[in-house]
Amino acid sequence: MLLETNTTADALTSEERLHIISELEKHGYFRLKGAVREVTEVLHCSQASVYRYLAQLRKV
């Protein structure tokens, strides 16, 4: 998914990160142990940010 954006993780916007996390959530990725930690490493963001994005997605 990151490759589809044609940019680096550091240059991603909040909307792009939200979209990536949304796609991972749809596919059940966050059911796996350690998934949040892996996503933070790839997207260069904090665990708090990932959990905030997930809360936004699950609230809808």
Side-chain angles (χ1 to χ4, degrees), residues 4-57:
E4 293 172 5
T5 63
N6 247 357
T7 189
T8 64
D10 293 327
L12 289 172
T13 65
S14 295
E15 292 80 22
E16 290 169 328
R17 281 191 175 99
L18 182 62
H19 174 72
I20 291 169
I21 290 172
S22 171
E23 290 299 312
L24 292 171
E25 172 74 350
K26 284 181 194 174
H27 290 83
Y29 184 76
F30 292 102
R31 293 180 185 170
L32 301 172
K33 183 176 182 175
V36 170
R37 183 183 43 78
E38 284 190 28
V39 170
T40 63
E41 292 173 6
V42 173
L43 296 183
H44 298 185
C45 62
S46 68
Q47 286 186 4
S49 293
V50 173
Y51 284 116
R52 188 172 44 252
Y53 290 130
L54 286 170
Q56 278 181 318
L57 294 169

